Amino acid sequence: MVEATHAVAKGIGEMQQAWMTLMQGQLQAAMVMVTGLGQCRNPADLMELQRRTVTETVEAGIHAALYMVESATALTQAGMTPAYRTVRANARRLAKQHG
């Protein structure tokens, strides 16, 4: 149980890092938009800025979401591996005792 708890605690830190990656990407995209507004001289510039902002926002979200999924998978595996190993060892031990 202690080993699983330690692994899960480490995994939660990785999940927090994934969340911060998501927030940072969205913040950076927002900063591009805000700083770019002052440079727009005509409607075409504004449309290009919007296109670039949406593209960067979506790409950052996709990358961060993949990172979060990978972190969640690693978290689940980290928590289950020690328990699975113990259950298998107990099953082998009990099989020898009763079989």
Side-chain angles (χ1 to χ4, degrees):
M1 184 66 158
V2 171
E3 187 179 348
T5 302
H6 178 69
V8 168
K10 181 180 176 188
I12 288 173
E14 291 173 11
M15 286 288 293
Q16 289 174 334
Q17 180 63 36
W19 178 256
M20 290 304 295
T21 299
L22 174 64
M23 293 297 105
Q24 184 179 24
Q26 300 304 309
L27 179 61
Q28 286 175 344
M31 292 302 294
V32 166
M33 177 70 166
V34 169
T35 56
L37 283 173
Q39 298 172 357
C40 291
R41 301 292 176 229
N42 55 51
D45 290 347
L46 180 59
M47 288 175 56
E48 175 58 25
L49 177 61
Q50 288 174 333
R51 184 201 61 76
R52 193 173 70 228
T53 301
V54 168
T55 300
E56 289 178 13
T57 301
V58 170
E59 287 178 358
I62 289 170
H63 292 297
L66 289 173
Y67 183 26
M68 290 184 77
V69 167
E70 290 170 355
S71 296
T73 302
L75 175 63
T76 302
Q77 183 178 6
M80 292 303 295
T81 298
Y84 180 70
R85 187 175 48 244
T86 301
V87 167
R88 286 190 54 189
N90 285 344
R92 283 191 301 269
R93 180 180 52 80
L94 291 173
K96 286 180 185 178
Q97 287 177 357
H98 299 289

